[in-house]
Amino acid sequence: MTVRLSRRVTRMQPSASIAAKQRVTELQAQGKEIIDFTIGEPDMDTPAHIVQGAIDAMRGGDTHYTPTAGVAPLRQAIADKLRRDAGHDYTAAQVIVGSGAKQLINESFAATLDDGDEVIVPAPYWVSYPDIVTLYDGVPVVVPTTAANDFKLTPQALAAALTPRTRWVVLNAPGNPGGAIYTRDELRALADVLAGHPEVMVMTDDIYEYLAYDQHRHVNLVAAAPELAARTLLINGFSKSYAMTGWRIGYAAGPQALINAMGKLIGQSTTCVSSIAQAGALTALKGDQEFIEETRQVYEHRRDVMHKAVSAIPGVDCRLPQGAFYLFPSVQALLGKRTPGGQVVADDRDLVMYLLDEAGVAVMDGSAYGMPGHLRLSFATSLQTIERGCARMAQACARLA
């Protein structure tokens, strides 16, 4: 029997980052030494006091279903955190907890998109945005940015992309993969454009909020433009800030009607987030916050080391990212060259495979992020790994004719 799949699922692409990680795992299982720069998660373990908080909750019998939107103490703690960091008074009822930020992005689009509705997605973008939009019958409108502008959406580009069908604008900062962080003035300028389009909502994905380097600091849109709070959905989570990727817990805050609709969808799918993960998340918010600054400093040093090494490779042009934990260099000058075996490196995907086969280094292609001719390299790994991997890449690139 042949299983007939829906048009909805067949038009989706597999997650490029998950596929890359799976390929690395397969090669390593074959005994090959692969230096992995595809990693999109902290390489540190979850802080011990957060783990202990979850253990204590389990031993205390906190192993049952919770309210769909999350337990009240956690939602209130998130509201308190947002009041401090985002500069807006959210009530606990305006907060919903999900099984990772990705679930909440899915639910928000599922709750609001109808056939043909458009979602503006600046490129480079996190790989899943366009496919999640497509899944719910929306149309992703990809708006290119430039390295010269640090991969940020400009007011002029936003204004040109808006149409009567526009339903959402997605802003991700610090950005994956470009590392962009918007200043308050830049956000204010975008808000001025949106003022003339009251039907358009904004999704701000702040998952990397604490990973800001040098003089840069993350500012949320509602802090820069409070008048947009009624149509802004803030997405965040615990994965990057507290090294809790495997815990699968994120949160969203926004208009009450949207939060209620998202809760209805979660109630018919996953019911609620694991009570144990929620206990860990509450411990994270209430406990010692030193881990955040300590890891930020570690990443900043790794960024500098990797940026220096990658920038020294002839044919590679790399901007210094303002935040997150990725480099996103242009490799246009390497395309069209030939490998030692005589094969033409026609595009960034070919270069990715060449580096994997020739150097044993796994990176992501920029095409997966809506910007061909680039690579994404994660520096969420040890300094030794960064130095060895960059040295291998440099040697492999030097062998291109």
Side-chain angles (χ1 to χ4, degrees):
M1 175 182 174
T2 301
V3 176
R4 184 177 68 84
L5 300 177
S6 69
R7 289 189 298 271
R8 181 178 296 108
V9 74
T10 54
R11 67 182 175 230
M12 287 185 71
Q13 298 299 316
S15 169
S17 53
I18 292 175
K21 180 61 179 174
Q22 181 176 342
R23 176 61 177 156
V24 169
T25 301
E26 291 171 353
L27 291 172
Q28 290 172 334
Q30 296 170 14
K32 298 180 180 179
E33 184 193 15
I34 304 297
I35 293 179
D36 188 4
F37 289 154
T38 70
I39 302 169
E41 65 173 335
D43 58 315
M44 299 85 169
D45 292 332
T46 305
H49 70 281
I50 297 176
V51 175
Q52 189 60 51
I55 292 172
D56 292 344
M58 284 189 286
R59 288 177 173 164
D62 189 5
T63 55
H64 303 278
Y65 291 131
T66 77
T68 294
V71 296
L74 176 57
R75 294 168 76 192
Q76 185 59 56
I78 292 169
D80 294 341
K81 182 261 183 203
L82 293 177
R83 186 177 303 109
R84 180 184 69 246
D85 292 350
H88 184 73
D89 283 336
Y90 291 100
T91 66
Q94 290 178 287
V95 174
I96 189 167
V97 181
S99 299
K102 186 183 286 188
Q103 181 189 26
L104 296 167
I105 295 171
N106 270 270
E107 307 299 11
S108 61
F109 288 152
T112 57
L113 292 180
D114 287 316
D115 188 22
D117 285 344
E118 296 175 354
V119 178
I120 293 175
V121 181
Y125 47 70
W126 175 54
V127 294
S128 293
Y129 292 138
D131 281 302
I132 296 174
V133 171
T134 302
L135 176 64
Y136 297 109
D137 300 318
V139 178
V141 177
V142 176
V143 180
T145 64
T146 65
N149 197 43
D150 291 315
F151 303 114
K152 298 177 189 179
L153 179 66
T154 65
Q156 296 78 11
L158 172 60
L162 288 164
T163 77
R165 297 305 303 268
T166 305
R167 194 77 173 90
W168 285 92
V169 176
V170 176
L171 294 178
N172 172 216
N176 172 13
I181 297 179
Y182 292 87
T183 67
R184 187 177 295 268
D185 288 344
E186 288 168 339
L187 291 171
R188 183 66 257 172
L190 294 175
D192 290 343
V193 174
L194 291 168
H197 300 269
E199 72 287 355
V200 176
M201 298 190 65
V202 185
M203 176 184 293
T204 65
D205 185 346
D206 298 353
I207 195 72
Y208 294 95
E209 65 173 331
Y210 293 126
L211 297 181
Y213 310 122
D214 306 319
Q215 78 279 14
H216 304 288
R217 291 295 177 267
H218 170 67
V219 179
N220 184 270
L221 179 65
V222 296
E227 73 276 12
L228 293 183
R231 51 185 171 120
T232 297
L233 182 69
L234 188 154
I235 299 286
N236 209 325
F238 298 84
S239 293
K240 317 300 182 181
S241 299
Y242 297 98
M244 295 175 66
T245 51
W247 297 65
R248 304 314 304 131
I249 184 162
Y251 59 87
Q256 188 69 67
L258 177 55
I259 296 298
N260 291 346
M262 293 166 65
K264 184 190 297 185
L265 291 167
I266 291 174
Q268 293 288 13
S269 56
T270 54
T271 302
C272 64
V273 177
S274 159
S275 61
I276 300 155
Q278 291 189 61
L282 182 59
T283 303
L285 289 178
K286 294 288 190 179
D288 187 352
Q289 304 296 302
E290 289 185 6
F291 175 82
I292 292 175
E293 176 58 19
E294 290 171 354
T295 54
R296 190 200 66 79
Q297 292 179 18
V298 168
Y299 288 131
E300 185 168 11
H301 180 53
R302 291 174 176 178
R303 176 203 63 165
D304 294 342
V305 171
M306 179 180 266
H307 180 261
K308 181 179 180 180
V310 168
S311 297
I313 301 174
V316 177
D317 183 15
C318 188
R319 303 280 295 187
L320 186 68
Q322 298 170 344
F325 43 57
Y326 311 101
L327 298 188
F328 196 62
S330 170
V331 290
Q332 289 284 357
L334 296 177
L335 305 184
K337 293 192 174 187
R338 292 185 179 273
T339 70
Q343 296 173 321
V344 175
V345 179
D347 55 28
D348 52 320
R349 294 187 179 97
D350 287 346
L351 184 58
V352 166
M353 294 309 300
Y354 170 71
L355 292 174
L356 187 60
D357 295 338
E358 184 77 9
V361 177
V363 300
M364 297 293 300
D365 60 273
S367 294
Y369 299 86
M371 191 163 282
H374 290 70
L375 300 178
R376 191 195 78 163
L377 294 80
S378 169
F379 49 86
T381 189
S382 70
L383 282 175
Q384 181 184 22
T385 300
I386 289 171
E387 290 166 350
R388 290 177 60 230
C390 289
R392 287 190 187 183
M393 286 179 58
Q395 292 166 4
C397 290
R399 288 194 287 272
L400 293 171

